Amino acid sequence: MDTLDAIAAAAGLAWASGLRLYAVVFLAGLAGRMDWIELPGDLDLLEHPLVMAAAGFMLCVEFFADKVPALDSFWDAAHTFIRIPAGALLAAGALADQGTAAVLAAALLGGSLTGATHLTKAGSRIAINTSPEPVSNVIASTGEDGMAVGGLWLAFAHPLVFLALLALAVLGMLWLLPRVWRFLTGLLHWVAGKQAPG
């Protein structure tokens, strides 16, 4: 695997981990084990049956937890401390063959990319959860499932196309994150006002 392919794989794993970490680990391991793709760097560890079993179990739990309003936001809050370091580790592992400096850069950039994706997803889902009907939540969750799987496939099959789309996605996140933040702070002020005595 050449350097560009490894960079695209690292970016794809980090980005998709912000949406569906366990699906990323399980599907990457499965694809490597079935020889559908060549996993870069040190990521052949994802093919280990124990890693795949753990990721597969958590994938099933997350699939359902993410589609229940309010539970999805609690799940996202807890996974702030799991997805971001895991995305950094996956990105670093993908560039393990490229030298120590590349591994450190991949960990820093991969963790940042995972964090931005995760925060955009989590904040958007809180906004969606303010709607009383559950259908929009299921639609958003299913869309995230498709984006994570499709993006991961694209990162390995068509790295240049993925990197171009990722650049657009990062611009979109930079535009969306401040708006999500303003919405959430407004929501917190509203809730605090409702709970104030008198």
Side-chain angles (χ1 to χ4, degrees), residues 52-188:
M52 290 183 62
F57 172 75
M58 291 305 296
L59 163 61
C60 293
V61 174
E62 182 171 62
F63 182 82
F64 293 104
D66 196 68
K67 292 175 175 56
V68 178
L71 178 58
D72 65 335
S73 291
F74 287 113
W75 185 266
D76 283 339
H79 279 77
T80 299
F81 306 101
I82 300 170
R83 287 181 186 146
I84 297 171
L89 285 171
L90 289 170
L95 292 180
D97 296 339
Q98 307 298 320
T100 307
V103 168
L104 181 56
L108 293 171
L109 294 173
S112 298
L113 180 57
T114 305
T117 306
H118 167 71
L119 292 174
T120 303
K121 170 212 184 310
S124 300
R125 294 300 285 280
I126 291 172
I128 289 170
N129 283 338
T130 60
S131 171
E133 47 75 36
V135 176
S136 57
N137 191 292
V138 173
I139 291 171
S141 180
T142 305
E144 291 162 5
D145 293 337
M147 284 184 357
V149 173
L152 192 60
W153 171 80
L154 202 59
F156 282 92
H158 302 286
L160 282 175
V161 174
F162 172 77
L163 290 172
L165 291 175
L166 179 62
L168 293 175
V170 168
L171 290 175
M173 286 188 285
L174 290 173
W175 177 85
L176 187 60
L177 271 173
R179 286 154 181 82
V180 169
W181 178 257
R182 280 196 297 272
F183 172 81
L184 294 177
T185 54
L187 183 63
L188 287 173

